Amino acid sequence: MSWAMQCQTCLPWGSWAQLPRSLAWSRGTHSVSVCAAAVPGRRFLRKILHTRSISLPRGYVCYQGDSQENSAQRSSSHHGQSQLRNVASSDAIKKYQKSLSAWFSHQPNEERQFGPSFSLDAVHVDPVIRESSLEEVLKPSPDLTIQNQLQQPCRKIISLHNLFDMDACGRQVKNVVLYGTVGTGKSTLIKKMVVDWCHGRLPHFELVIPFSCEDLSHSHAHVSLQRLITKKYQHLRDVVPVLEASNLRVLFILNGLERLNLDFRLAGTELCCDPSEPMPPSAIVVNLLRKYLLPEASIIVTARPSAVHRIPGKYVGRYAEICGFSDTNLQKLYFQMRLSQTGCSGEESQDRSSAEQENLVEMLSRNLERHNQITAACFLPSYCWLVCTTLHFLYFTRMVPPSQTLTGIYTSFLRLNFSGEVLDSTNPTHISMMKYVAKTVGKLAYEGVMSRKTCFSEEDLRQCFEVKMKTESELNLLEVFRSDVFRFFLSPCVQPGKEHTFVFTIPAMQEYLAALYVVLGEKKTLAQRMGKELSEVIGKVSEDVAVVVNIISKVLPLRFLPVLFNLLKIIPRYFSRVSGKDRDAIAHTMAEELFKEEDYYNDDVLDQINSSILGVEGPMRHPDEAPDDEVFELFPIFMGGILSRRNRAILEQLGCSIKNLAAFEIAKAMKKTVISKGRKGLPPSELMDYLFFLHEFQNECFTAEAIRSLRTVNLSSVKMTPLKCSVLASVMSTTCHEVEELNLTSCNLDSGSLRTLFPVLLRCKALHLQLNSLGSDACREIRDLLLHDKCVVSSLRLANNPVGEQGARYLAEALAGNRSLTQLSLLHTALGDPGAKAIAQHLAQNQHLQELNLGYNSLTDTAALHVVEVAKRHETLDKVHLYFNDISEDGKRALDSLRMDRDGVRALVFLTAGTDISDYWSHILNVVQRNLPFWDRERVWQHLTFLLQDLESSRSQTANPWRKAKFLRVESEVKKMLGKLQDGSL
């Protein structure tokens, strides 16, 4: 945009850091001049009324001060006071309060869908409200940095219940304008105010009548105030006729002024003081605010900053700005109340859930105290809701319903805050707020993702928002956006040295808006945009004209014309192919971003979100230390999630339409890219991201085809939270094919995780569950799994889990009835002699087991020999691992005497086999080396020393030089291991 155009506005366009609290209008400043002097304006109005022989209604001047009319009113109000007591105590008011409370206490669907539903009283924290003035609304705000907001608390703080107190001049306030940017909590505050009145906590008013300006804006028929009230609230039909005469203390609430166009000019809206006189709803509002209609009534109006000027200043007694949670203590209080609610953690045990809730609140509080970026985000109560909802999704989701996705949370979050609002109701384009955000902020977000940056300078903002400004309409839309919406998405960076740059309020929001920008097809060249519009126009014209010409050609010899118009139809077909290539490009972008090799070894996206909210525990980064590279792994996942049917339906309500055909073609193109790349071996964290992408995409046919190509699933070392387990179970349930191997080693599993994954585990041939702290409760789940008639598990590894004696009993029961298991590893599972004997007791009933590992379980000679005796009689069991147990020399000799050809079983106990080296010496040492980080080093030292002594003793007993050489080789390996163990390098 040229500097000449910039100079036409009232704001300094060169500085995005100085954001206005509201709009400085380039279209005219008549509203500012009107509010310059309230008393002269009133006198001028009196003069007009006098010349037109129009009498003022009773109490018109009560807002300005006492008068003769007021005296007359007080002297004649005794009868009205009697009526007041009757009306206030009537059943009509009580019924009205009951129905109003039920309606305003109703929580949105998102509250019930993404967490337990809480009452407004249970979790509400009043935001900071600051007394303001019209001059402050219209002038640019000071430098908007987080440090300034934290170090300089808001002055002129006023509570919601004191909004109608006397002003500084001692005049009674009747009209209040309560304004705030998107997300500060205006609507929630009004709901709380109404609920408080219904429960008797707002005694200053005997009747509260709320109206939605959006609702009023859709009504074009003339209606009287009395009819308008009874139409909305039928319980008041007996109250409304005496509303004016009773002097009832009434409060009108007008929520969302920006959706209503008001005209305070006498030529535009005539004066009317009769509540029964039909007029347009906007005229009713204007006369109420003029104090010409029901002058004794109090009015509170909520508005975005850009709409505050629509009410002339002389009709406003107080301006109040909602500052949100500008105090971090309010943020902490909200999180404490929200996350500590009973039922927040589902059906888990109360002690565990309470501890987890307290831990979450503590970590979140510490992160807020660091004044991290999340502190800036949580200035807006809406983002506090998003944080709590995301934490509930991450920590307390036991089973994931199809509609519950991370993309769904963000889409619903935007619907709660924007709900299809038009950015500027006075603008002829009537573009929805969310559509405008997708086109502008989405572009900024996408360019940031592509260039791997999260901080944006003023020049970046200027290039994104201002460079294409060509018309007055576009400029006005940008002004409204700057005033009302900008701070919802972008906030000053808190990193030292970057105070004058901007970042997205929540990091994931940048990736969501970038994904929305791409999926909506906004990433197009000028030629593509013009081609699309041209093809649509030609397509419509050619179809209509071709029909007419075909009819005429049957009468007249003009047969060449249909041929000409049929050629025109080629143009739409050509551009439909071009648009198809655009869908291919979207699918290609999705695949490239989803499988970036440089992101292969990052944490999975769910852990990244968790860290962004709760922070990373440990020492803080030094300011001079180079930052980590930015990762945007949520970007392709959000792209898939936005394409789901449910999210497209919500975005349609927000004015962002994604057609079914477009979604179908993108999904079709993705099969060539995403699925083919998904077949390649992925690191565990990247595979988890891929599974999460499939869950977010919500396309069952696509997911089934992708999952069928996965024969091996390796998620080792991924922290499998209940959510991740639910995602894995949900995605894998789209098919019923057998999985060759499922590796869940060191995944923090518990019995609940196994219960969630039960349908998946049934179909896995090789199941790795090592290092998961699985106790007896988990073994009970494993028993049920192995006894299931559809179980195909052939290899089960439970090494390094605290199975214990009771767990061994459950596993023994499973062995007795299982028909698929051939290998069972119980290495280092704290069985002891009782556990080993329980296994041996049921082993005879098993007919398929071939290998059993009971190493490192503190077995003595009695238990070890008993297991071997049972193994001798087993039909298929030919190998028993017994190394690193408490077996004596006598036990060793007894086990050494076993012969495979004679006894049918081989026991792996030591590195030696009589006077020779065991064939399994390398296997035993490899097992030790792999598990050493999880074993007791002192005990391992003792066992290795004992094995070395056994090697040296056996070597001295043989005269065969070849055998001696083998002994020396194995001894050197053991000595190396002991040396590394001693210096801590192993």
PDB file of all heavy atoms in Angstrom, residues 299-312:
ATOM      1  N   ILE A 299     -28.753   0.120  31.266  1.00  0.00           N
ATOM      2  CA  ILE A 299     -28.382  -0.649  30.071  1.00  0.00           C
ATOM      3  C   ILE A 299     -26.889  -0.939  30.112  1.00  0.00           C
ATOM      4  O   ILE A 299     -26.084  -0.044  30.395  1.00  0.00           O
ATOM      5  CB  ILE A 299     -28.720   0.117  28.770  1.00  0.00           C
ATOM      6  CG1 ILE A 299     -30.204   0.463  28.717  1.00  0.00           C
ATOM      7  CG2 ILE A 299     -28.312  -0.695  27.542  1.00  0.00           C
ATOM      8  CD1 ILE A 299     -30.573   1.342  27.538  1.00  0.00           C
ATOM      9  N   ILE A 300     -26.541  -2.186  29.830  1.00  0.00           N
ATOM     10  CA  ILE A 300     -25.142  -2.546  29.657  1.00  0.00           C
ATOM     11  C   ILE A 300     -24.987  -3.112  28.257  1.00  0.00           C
ATOM     12  O   ILE A 300     -25.738  -3.988  27.834  1.00  0.00           O
ATOM     13  CB  ILE A 300     -24.666  -3.551  30.741  1.00  0.00           C
ATOM     14  CG1 ILE A 300     -23.174  -3.815  30.590  1.00  0.00           C
ATOM     15  CG2 ILE A 300     -25.448  -4.843  30.709  1.00  0.00           C
ATOM     16  CD1 ILE A 300     -22.574  -4.556  31.780  1.00  0.00           C
ATOM     17  N   VAL A 301     -24.033  -2.583  27.528  1.00  0.00           N
ATOM     18  CA  VAL A 301     -23.790  -2.967  26.144  1.00  0.00           C
ATOM     19  C   VAL A 301     -22.397  -3.565  26.056  1.00  0.00           C
ATOM     20  O   VAL A 301     -21.432  -2.980  26.567  1.00  0.00           O
ATOM     21  CB  VAL A 301     -23.891  -1.749  25.199  1.00  0.00           C
ATOM     22  CG1 VAL A 301     -23.605  -2.164  23.760  1.00  0.00           C
ATOM     23  CG2 VAL A 301     -25.256  -1.104  25.300  1.00  0.00           C
ATOM     24  N   THR A 302     -22.290  -4.739  25.440  1.00  0.00           N
ATOM     25  CA  THR A 302     -20.962  -5.314  25.188  1.00  0.00           C
ATOM     26  C   THR A 302     -20.633  -5.140  23.713  1.00  0.00           C
ATOM     27  O   THR A 302     -21.516  -5.217  22.852  1.00  0.00           O
ATOM     28  CB  THR A 302     -20.903  -6.806  25.553  1.00  0.00           C
ATOM     29  OG1 THR A 302     -21.731  -7.555  24.654  1.00  0.00           O
ATOM     30  CG2 THR A 302     -21.361  -7.045  26.977  1.00  0.00           C
ATOM     31  N   ALA A 303     -19.374  -4.889  23.432  1.00  0.00           N
ATOM     32  CA  ALA A 303     -18.966  -4.626  22.051  1.00  0.00           C
ATOM     33  C   ALA A 303     -17.484  -4.890  21.883  1.00  0.00           C
ATOM     34  O   ALA A 303     -16.717  -4.898  22.854  1.00  0.00           O
ATOM     35  CB  ALA A 303     -19.276  -3.173  21.669  1.00  0.00           C
ATOM     36  N   ARG A 304     -17.104  -5.140  20.646  1.00  0.00           N
ATOM     37  CA  ARG A 304     -15.690  -5.146  20.307  1.00  0.00           C
ATOM     38  C   ARG A 304     -15.232  -3.694  20.204  1.00  0.00           C
ATOM     39  O   ARG A 304     -16.041  -2.782  19.959  1.00  0.00           O
ATOM     40  CB  ARG A 304     -15.443  -5.885  18.992  1.00  0.00           C
ATOM     41  CG  ARG A 304     -15.892  -7.330  19.010  1.00  0.00           C
ATOM     42  CD  ARG A 304     -15.166  -8.140  17.943  1.00  0.00           C
ATOM     43  NE  ARG A 304     -15.312  -7.594  16.603  1.00  0.00           N
ATOM     44  CZ  ARG A 304     -16.149  -8.039  15.691  1.00  0.00           C
ATOM     45  NH1 ARG A 304     -16.939  -9.060  15.964  1.00  0.00           N
ATOM     46  NH2 ARG A 304     -16.198  -7.494  14.485  1.00  0.00           N
ATOM     47  N   PRO A 305     -13.944  -3.410  20.355  1.00  0.00           N
ATOM     48  CA  PRO A 305     -13.479  -2.004  20.358  1.00  0.00           C
ATOM     49  C   PRO A 305     -13.878  -1.220  19.121  1.00  0.00           C
ATOM     50  O   PRO A 305     -14.173  -0.038  19.208  1.00  0.00           O
ATOM     51  CB  PRO A 305     -11.956  -2.152  20.462  1.00  0.00           C
ATOM     52  CG  PRO A 305     -11.750  -3.445  21.174  1.00  0.00           C
ATOM     53  CD  PRO A 305     -12.853  -4.341  20.707  1.00  0.00           C
ATOM     54  N   SER A 306     -13.916  -1.870  17.958  1.00  0.00           N
ATOM     55  CA  SER A 306     -14.224  -1.148  16.733  1.00  0.00           C
ATOM     56  C   SER A 306     -15.656  -0.646  16.692  1.00  0.00           C
ATOM     57  O   SER A 306     -15.985   0.243  15.902  1.00  0.00           O
ATOM     58  CB  SER A 306     -13.975  -2.045  15.515  1.00  0.00           C
ATOM     59  OG  SER A 306     -14.864  -3.160  15.528  1.00  0.00           O
ATOM     60  N   ALA A 307     -16.543  -1.221  17.520  1.00  0.00           N
ATOM     61  CA  ALA A 307     -17.959  -0.833  17.489  1.00  0.00           C
ATOM     62  C   ALA A 307     -18.325   0.150  18.587  1.00  0.00           C
ATOM     63  O   ALA A 307     -19.461   0.636  18.617  1.00  0.00           O
ATOM     64  CB  ALA A 307     -18.832  -2.086  17.618  1.00  0.00           C
ATOM     65  N   VAL A 308     -17.399   0.490  19.450  1.00  0.00           N
ATOM     66  CA  VAL A 308     -17.714   1.374  20.575  1.00  0.00           C
ATOM     67  C   VAL A 308     -18.179   2.739  20.072  1.00  0.00           C
ATOM     68  O   VAL A 308     -19.071   3.370  20.654  1.00  0.00           O
ATOM     69  CB  VAL A 308     -16.492   1.514  21.499  1.00  0.00           C
ATOM     70  CG1 VAL A 308     -16.714   2.596  22.550  1.00  0.00           C
ATOM     71  CG2 VAL A 308     -16.195   0.182  22.172  1.00  0.00           C
ATOM     72  N   HIS A 309     -17.608   3.206  18.970  1.00  0.00           N
ATOM     73  CA  HIS A 309     -17.933   4.546  18.464  1.00  0.00           C
ATOM     74  C   HIS A 309     -19.368   4.640  17.950  1.00  0.00           C
ATOM     75  O   HIS A 309     -19.866   5.735  17.702  1.00  0.00           O
ATOM     76  CB  HIS A 309     -16.990   4.898  17.313  1.00  0.00           C
ATOM     77  CG  HIS A 309     -17.413   4.289  16.012  1.00  0.00           C
ATOM     78  ND1 HIS A 309     -17.345   2.927  15.780  1.00  0.00           N
ATOM     79  CD2 HIS A 309     -17.960   4.846  14.895  1.00  0.00           C
ATOM     80  CE1 HIS A 309     -17.810   2.680  14.572  1.00  0.00           C
ATOM     81  NE2 HIS A 309     -18.190   3.823  14.007  1.00  0.00           N
ATOM     82  N   ARG A 310     -20.043   3.505  17.783  1.00  0.00           N
ATOM     83  CA  ARG A 310     -21.385   3.542  17.205  1.00  0.00           C
ATOM     84  C   ARG A 310     -22.400   4.181  18.154  1.00  0.00           C
ATOM     85  O   ARG A 310     -23.488   4.564  17.730  1.00  0.00           O
ATOM     86  CB  ARG A 310     -21.842   2.131  16.832  1.00  0.00           C
ATOM     87  CG  ARG A 310     -20.963   1.483  15.763  1.00  0.00           C
ATOM     88  CD  ARG A 310     -21.506   0.136  15.325  1.00  0.00           C
ATOM     89  NE  ARG A 310     -20.573  -0.540  14.417  1.00  0.00           N
ATOM     90  CZ  ARG A 310     -20.802  -1.722  13.864  1.00  0.00           C
ATOM     91  NH1 ARG A 310     -21.938  -2.362  14.114  1.00  0.00           N
ATOM     92  NH2 ARG A 310     -19.916  -2.269  13.063  1.00  0.00           N
ATOM     93  N   ILE A 311     -22.077   4.250  19.422  1.00  0.00           N
ATOM     94  CA  ILE A 311     -22.938   4.948  20.388  1.00  0.00           C
ATOM     95  C   ILE A 311     -22.290   6.290  20.709  1.00  0.00           C
ATOM     96  O   ILE A 311     -21.166   6.325  21.226  1.00  0.00           O
ATOM     97  CB  ILE A 311     -23.105   4.130  21.681  1.00  0.00           C
ATOM     98  CG1 ILE A 311     -23.640   2.732  21.367  1.00  0.00           C
ATOM     99  CG2 ILE A 311     -24.027   4.848  22.652  1.00  0.00           C
ATOM    100  CD1 ILE A 311     -23.762   1.842  22.579  1.00  0.00           C
ATOM    101  N   PRO A 312     -22.931   7.396  20.408  1.00  0.00           N
ATOM    102  CA  PRO A 312     -22.360   8.701  20.742  1.00  0.00           C
ATOM    103  C   PRO A 312     -22.026   8.787  22.230  1.00  0.00           C
ATOM    104  O   PRO A 312     -22.767   8.293  23.083  1.00  0.00           O
ATOM    105  CB  PRO A 312     -23.467   9.686  20.355  1.00  0.00           C
ATOM    106  CG  PRO A 312     -24.250   8.963  19.298  1.00  0.00           C
ATOM    107  CD  PRO A 312     -24.219   7.520  19.696  1.00  0.00           C
TER     108      PRO A 312
END
